[in-house]
Amino acid sequence: MSTKSSEGSAVRRQPVGVACTVSVPRNAAGDLEAGVRDRLSGADGVDAVETVDLEGIRPGLNDLTVTVSASLLVDDAGDAGARLEERFGVSDVEVELRTGPP
């Protein structure tokens, strides 16, 4: 994902906190946190997944449903929730804009 706009000026990445539910396949490579990071980082507009806190796990037949709190860097905080929910396996997204040093 590019951090440059079409005019060539730098796009400021915005820090956000998200609370959501993520489904991770049981056969996913790596550990559970890596599976969550993969799901979240694959959403359009997500530049980086900084932290992930696993808050709850519910086993299913083919996947694990994880309640997650995470810190992300996104290109547009205004539509971050909708973009995350477009990603298969991510639902119930609540976004909180973070302020502070870039």
Side-chain angles (χ1 to χ4, degrees), residues 1 18 20-29 31-49 51-52 54 62-66 68 70 72 74 80-91 93:
M1 281 171 246
V18 297
C20 60
T21 302
V22 179
S23 294
V24 178
R26 286 186 178 264
N27 64 351
D31 60 13
L32 190 55
E33 183 179 332
V36 169
R37 284 180 178 274
D38 182 55
R39 288 274 190 215
L40 296 177
S41 67
D44 286 341
V46 174
D47 294 322
V49 178
T51 63
V52 172
L54 308 176
N62 297 315
D63 61 9
L64 299 170
T65 302
V66 186
V68 175
L72 311 176
V74 298
R83 286 182 173 192
L84 284 165
E85 286 188 342
E86 288 175 355
R87 180 86 167 126
F88 180 79
V90 180
S91 61
V93 178

